[in-house]
Amino acid sequence: MNTTRTTLLTFAALLLLSAGLMSFAFTQKVTKIYLIGDSTMADYSTYEGEDYMNKRYPLMGWGQVFQELFDEKAIASLGHLISTDSVLVDDRARGGRSTRTFFEEGRWSAVYRDLHPGDLVLMQFGHNDAAKEKTERYVATEGYREYIRLFVTQTREKGGIPIVLTPVNRNYPWKEGKLENVHGEYYQAAVEVAGELGVHLIDLTQRSMDAFTEKGEAYVTAHYFMNFEPGVYPNYPEGSKDNTHFQPEGAKAVAELVLEGMVELKR
């Protein structure tokens, strides 16, 4: 009888311990890193209703490979931004979106609803905002400033940490072996709004220009951007000449630049 009672008590204790451990595991905080922006940041493998490998590969946004960079060493180096041992990248960027269309389509409100204190929001817009010939997405620089202000302010309202990124540079213009800034007043607007609001800034425009220049125009054109001859990839039977969007090597290179920028940020 005593043996049976002891067994039952032991079993009950194990159940309680197990439940406690499970509860502890489920309540552990994971820092989410939300990415909001355009095609250069997007994860094409998450596009609903599309077969990425049989439709878009090797097209890849830098956000598509961002998660794989967050090993223990990387997370430890981000103690000024992240207080947890685990990071989950949630890439909400989509091709063709400007600050305005990202907001108008309800994409920002969806991020805002999901935000928790301590989460990060990395915002990188500008490519589509500047597209004057595409009126459905175009945003004048003052509107661009206002939407960045909104994203920053509302991130802070939820206890999140906003980080403004200047737009990654396109693969032009090159002058005397050096890549120059193609983003003009939109680049300057992002820098100025970040300064005005006292928000973290990663100058991805400058970082990408420097990194691409170091690699050289020929290498970057052939290996980083979507430039290849007909027949190389089944999804692009006619080839591709695209100096805005990335192949996998380019996407990873830019993702590494962003992580380096995060490490160098100060509180």
Side-chain angles (χ1 to χ4, degrees), residues 25 28 31 55 82 95-96 133 144 168 208 220 254:
Q28 288 300 286
T31 298
K55 184 172 182 179
I82 296 170
E133 71 285 0
Y144 175 71
V168 62
S208 58
V220 167
V254 175

Side-chain angles (χ1 to χ4, degrees), residues 150-218:
L150 182 148
F151 299 149
V152 167
T153 301
Q154 292 197 339
T155 297
R156 285 173 165 169
E157 285 177 2
K158 296 293 289 284
I161 301 172
I163 301 176
V164 175
L165 278 62
T166 57
V168 62
N169 216 63
R170 301 179 194 267
N171 189 35
Y172 59 84
W174 287 85
K175 186 176 181 180
E176 298 179 355
K178 185 176 180 180
L179 184 60
E180 298 188 345
N181 189 340
V182 74
H183 293 294
E185 59 187 8
Y186 289 86
Y187 165 78
Q188 192 61 35
V191 172
E192 290 175 357
V193 170
E196 166 199 326
L197 299 178
V199 65
H200 289 307
L201 173 75
I202 295 175
D203 191 345
L204 186 56
T205 306
Q206 189 63 55
R207 286 176 179 272
S208 58
M209 287 193 298
D210 291 344
F212 296 169
T213 296
E214 184 176 351
K215 277 289 186 180
E217 181 178 4

Side-chain angles (χ1 to χ4, degrees), residues 5-212:
R5 184 170 181 272
T6 300
T7 301
L8 289 172
L9 288 173
T10 301
F11 181 67
L14 288 172
L15 283 177
L16 288 171
L17 178 61
S18 176
L21 289 173
M22 289 180 67
S23 175
F24 178 77
F26 282 119
T27 57
Q28 288 300 286
K29 181 73 169 67
V30 175
T31 298
K32 293 190 77 171
I33 300 178
Y34 291 93
L35 306 181
I36 65 172
D38 54 41
S39 57
T40 61
M41 182 194 245
D43 181 349
Y44 293 94
S45 69
T46 65
Y47 276 35
E48 292 183 8
E50 291 193 13
D51 183 346
Y52 170 69
M53 292 304 297
N54 289 315
K55 184 172 182 179
R56 291 182 180 265
Y57 183 83
L59 177 64
M60 188 174 286
W62 65 259
Q64 197 161 334
V65 294
F66 203 41
Q67 179 71 63
E68 65 191 51
L69 302 183
F70 288 91
D71 55 19
E72 290 185 10
K73 182 179 179 181
I75 294 172
S77 70
L78 292 170
H80 55 295
L81 294 172
I82 296 170
S83 58
T84 63
D85 295 327
S86 183
V87 164
L88 178 63
V89 174
D90 190 337
D91 191 348
R92 304 290 182 94
R94 282 295 182 270
R97 271 58 179 192
S98 61
T99 50
R100 174 177 59 80
T101 58
F102 195 88
F103 178 81
E104 289 178 342
E105 292 174 0
R107 296 180 184 277
W108 170 246
S109 64
V111 172
Y112 180 77
R113 285 194 302 270
D114 292 342
L115 264 176
H116 288 89
D119 289 340
L120 278 60
V121 178
L122 275 61
M123 54 195 78
Q124 182 219 271
F125 292 93
H127 284 80
N128 297 301
D129 298 75
K132 272 190 176 181
E133 71 285 0
K134 297 180 179 179
T135 56
E136 74 281 1
R137 62 181 69 169
Y138 172 69
V139 183
T141 51
E142 192 47 54
Y144 175 71
R145 292 172 186 267
E146 286 299 317
Y147 281 110
I148 294 176
R149 290 185 183 110
L150 182 148
F151 299 149
V152 167
T153 301
Q154 292 197 339
T155 297
R156 285 173 165 169
E157 285 177 2
K158 296 293 289 284
I161 301 172
I163 301 176
V164 175
L165 278 62
T166 57
V168 62
N169 216 63
R170 301 179 194 267
N171 189 35
Y172 59 84
W174 287 85
K175 186 176 181 180
E176 298 179 355
K178 185 176 180 180
L179 184 60
E180 298 188 345
N181 189 340
V182 74
H183 293 294
E185 59 187 8
Y186 289 86
Y187 165 78
Q188 192 61 35
V191 172
E192 290 175 357
V193 170
E196 166 199 326
L197 299 178
V199 65
H200 289 307
L201 173 75
I202 295 175
D203 191 345
L204 186 56
T205 306
Q206 189 63 55
R207 286 176 179 272
S208 58
M209 287 193 298
D210 291 344
F212 296 169

